[in-house]
Amino acid sequence: MAYTLGIDIGTYETKGVLVDEAGVIQAQAARGHEMLVPQPGWAEHRPEEDWWGDFVHVCKALLTESGFDPKDIKAIACSAIGPCMLPVDAEGIPLMNGVLYGVDGRAETEVRELTDRIGEDTIIARCGNALTSQSVGPKILWLKRNRPEIYAQTSHILTSTSFLVQRLTGEVVIDHYTAANFSPLYDIATQSWVEDLAGDILPLEKLPRLMWSNEIAGHITKNAAAQTGLAIGTPVTAGTIDAAAEAFSVGVDQPGDMMMMYGSTIFIILRAQSQVSDPRIWYAPWLFKGEHASMAGLATSGTLTHWFRDQIAQDLPKDTAFPALAEEAETSPPGANGLLMLPYFSGERTPIHDVHAKGVIFGLNLTHTRGDMYRALIEGIAHGTRHVTDTFAELGQSPSRLLAVGGGTKNALWLQATSDITSIDQIVCEKTTGASYGDAFLAALAVGLVEREDISRWNPVAQTITARPNPAYDKAHGLFLKLYAQTKDIASQLT
């Protein structure tokens, strides 16, 4: 029997699976870690401990649980949060913590200055995306300006997945899907690194080599084998961002397919028929040459539920808090007895791209319960999600089907509220394991063990969450947008 290994580094947890050729999970392992917030608006991981340390730990756990001969693992694929910014020296040693994706807004000044200098229209035309907190280019420029001693020692700028692949194979590579987030250093037409837009950011030779996610980047080195227990010479793919692997894990493969990932953030990927460029959303080449994807993401979702549990529900045991909170919220009617929440506790990404946006709980009175507040939180995230899906609709990109995945799919209240508020049915597949399962499939695809259409055999549909029409939610959504507009000026003054 042949097996493939998939490991994903998430914002708060690393997960891994060993999967056989039929798509059956033979072993699973996980390890938690924290997101560091050294100051407001920043978000970091420790690459040695949280990325490589987790990978090694989970890999060894999978091999121990399964008892498999490592030589029977025919390919490995990894994914991780992204896009991140990590400077490393000539030996591949990290020079600082990894700067995370769009939840880290430290480069706001650089975003504004580069946009003014290059021009937003030019950036969108060449890069497919406006510069936002999601963009890596401005963060590299922030590094150059604010940490010149680190910048001077930098041999390469990696993202999280690139770092893992380098540790496993010695190769410095990045997939095109991830690279498209390095604006203004990646040109979507030529699908190559460019320096004519902002050559002062970084010499291009310090960026990884570009590859597609179904290509083999290299093979397990002797040193990596000694640390992980894997067999020397095992093929390793170029990898990708976790959300893309997660989308593939539930069968997002045809134009019109959309994934909604319920994780620490809501992240949405639409397999688009062609390139769609709009400053409110993101664009990238899909995992395979000649294909396209449009993306969107909220800044806080699952992270916000964790905040609520830790701050408002300290009396509940952590391991049972979420089911208990959901039960309390079920006693609150749709609309949460008049409460409205803006979920902008870390600013917001798409479609408003406002790092100054603030969280708001509006309408509180002495009759409200914790259940009302938790329901308002869930509905607030769903209203933020509708803001995104309405934007896709305005661009003529409504999904033909919506596939839900991630840990949040276990929260029936959240799923149903999202369908009701967006008026979109959601499909939930049998396996909601997530990105690590998608990684295992992509690894199998890279070495010819499966064809792309086999993902529907690996992970068939389990259920559909049907939208229930509720005109009250339409009114509430209008009030949600109005509340944001009215608090925007105040929020910027509080920063």
Side-chain angles (χ1 to χ4, degrees):
M1 179 68 77
Y3 306 97
T4 54
L5 170 67
I7 293 181
D8 173 67
I9 312 292
T11 303
Y12 292 104
E13 187 177 41
T14 296
K15 296 179 181 178
V17 291
L18 270 172
V19 182
D20 66 23
E21 295 173 75
V24 178
I25 296 173
Q26 298 292 329
Q28 298 185 70
R31 189 189 199 191
H33 53 252
E34 297 297 322
M35 181 179 75
L36 306 178
V37 183
Q39 65 183 64
W42 291 24
E44 300 178 352
H45 273 170
R46 304 168 301 168
E48 293 286 3
E49 296 89 342
D50 302 329
W51 297 348
W52 181 241
D54 274 20
F55 187 98
V56 170
H57 177 90
V58 167
C59 187
K60 287 182 175 180
L62 290 170
L63 291 172
T64 299
E65 178 186 336
S66 67
F68 294 158
D69 185 336
K71 293 180 180 178
D72 290 333
I73 298 174
K74 301 306 179 184
I76 298 161
C78 54
S79 60
I81 50 162
C84 298
M85 190 276 290
L86 175 68
V88 299
D89 66 15
E91 303 301 319
I93 305 300
L95 297 170
M96 61 180 286
N97 283 342
V99 177
L100 301 195
Y101 50 99
V103 295
D104 185 288
R106 72 182 65 194
E108 180 187 5
T109 298
E110 287 73 21
V111 166
R112 184 173 58 252
E113 290 182 7
L114 286 168
T115 300
D116 290 343
R117 186 203 314 175
I118 303 168
E120 184 175 73
D121 291 345
T122 299
I123 293 170
I124 292 175
R126 292 284 302 280
C127 305
N129 301 284
L131 294 183
T132 68
S133 64
Q134 189 83 346
S135 308
V136 176
K139 292 176 181 177
I140 302 173
L141 186 57
W142 177 92
L143 175 72
K144 182 178 182 180
R145 291 176 172 178
N146 295 276
R147 301 289 187 272
E149 71 287 354
I150 292 177
Y151 183 88
Q153 299 176 61
T154 298
S155 176
H156 287 96
I157 295 290
L158 304 181
T159 190
S160 46
T161 311
S162 298
F163 177 70
L164 295 174
V165 173
Q166 185 191 45
R167 282 295 170 91
L168 291 169
T169 69
E171 299 293 331
V172 181
V173 304
I174 190 171
D175 65 301
H176 285 271
Y177 177 84
T178 306
N181 295 279
F182 274 59
S183 303
L185 299 171
Y186 182 88
D187 186 291
I188 57 172
T190 62
Q191 295 183 333
S192 64
W193 299 123
V194 294
E195 60 184 356
D196 62 301
L197 293 178
D200 60 325
I201 293 179
L202 187 79
L204 297 189
E205 61 268 20
K206 295 190 176 186
L207 293 171
R209 176 166 54 94
L210 292 160
M211 299 188 72
W212 297 101
S213 294
N214 61 333
E215 294 182 311
I216 300 299
H219 300 80
I220 295 293
T221 64
K222 181 179 179 180
N223 186 47
Q227 293 186 63
T228 62
L230 296 167
I232 297 173
T234 307
V236 180
T237 72
T240 190
I241 291 176
D242 56 357
E246 193 138 14
F248 214 82
S249 78
V250 291
V252 173
D253 193 38
Q254 299 298 316
D257 287 347
M258 177 181 278
M259 175 205 73
M260 185 172 294
M261 180 179 76
Y262 291 81
S264 56
T265 69
I266 289 285
F267 199 85
I268 293 171
I269 297 179
L270 174 74
R271 260 283 281 120
Q273 184 68 51
S274 58
Q275 177 190 328
V276 179
S277 295
D278 185 279
R280 293 171 292 178
I281 61 172
W282 302 306
Y283 165 79
W286 187 223
L287 305 180
F288 312 98
K289 190 173 183 178
E291 298 180 3
H292 307 273
S294 295
M295 286 77 58
L298 306 188
T300 52
S301 302
T303 303
L304 190 50
T305 66
H306 280 79
W307 171 85
F308 191 92
R309 179 198 65 187
D310 296 342
Q311 303 302 323
I312 312 298
Q314 295 180 4
D315 58 306
L316 299 176
K318 279 195 173 184
D319 57 344
T320 59
F322 288 132
L325 287 170
E327 187 174 339
E328 290 180 21
E330 289 283 6
T331 66
S332 179
N337 283 317
L339 288 186
L340 192 61
M341 178 179 281
L342 299 184
Y344 307 144
F345 281 50
S346 293
E348 186 55 294
R349 298 193 287 173
T350 57
I352 61 176
H353 299 293
D354 184 354
V355 297
H356 297 301
K358 294 289 185 280
V360 174
I361 306 175
F362 184 80
L364 282 166
N365 63 51
L366 292 175
T367 69
H368 285 118
T369 66
R370 184 168 66 184
D372 291 324
M373 293 175 66
Y374 192 64
R375 184 172 192 109
L377 178 150
I378 294 297
E379 291 180 350
I381 298 169
H383 282 296
T385 303
R386 175 174 168 176
H387 202 177
V388 171
T389 58
D390 283 355
T391 301
F392 274 103
E394 290 173 26
L395 297 171
Q397 298 293 315
S398 294
S400 55
R401 62 175 189 154
L402 178 60
L403 299 111
V405 70
T409 57
K410 297 179 176 64
N411 187 328
L413 175 70
W414 193 358
L415 278 174
Q416 190 63 62
T418 301
S419 277
D420 294 346
I421 290 172
T422 63
S423 299
I424 302 175
D425 294 348
Q426 297 178 81
I427 296 168
V428 181
C429 289
E430 268 184 15
K431 299 181 183 73
T432 59
T433 309
S436 58
Y437 191 72
D439 292 328
F441 186 87
L442 289 166
L445 184 65
V447 293
L449 294 177
V450 295
E451 301 294 332
R452 286 175 64 167
E453 57 270 18
D454 288 334
I455 190 61
S456 62
R457 173 174 57 83
W458 272 38
N459 197 7
V461 171
Q463 62 172 318
T464 299
I465 310 300
T466 303
R468 298 178 296 203
N470 188 335
Y473 276 139
D474 287 332
K475 178 181 178 182
H477 187 66
L479 294 173
F480 175 90
L481 298 178
K482 187 175 182 180
L483 181 61
Y484 165 63
Q486 292 186 346
T487 59
K488 186 174 182 181
D489 289 341
I490 297 173
S492 64
Q493 293 178 46
L494 289 172
T495 302

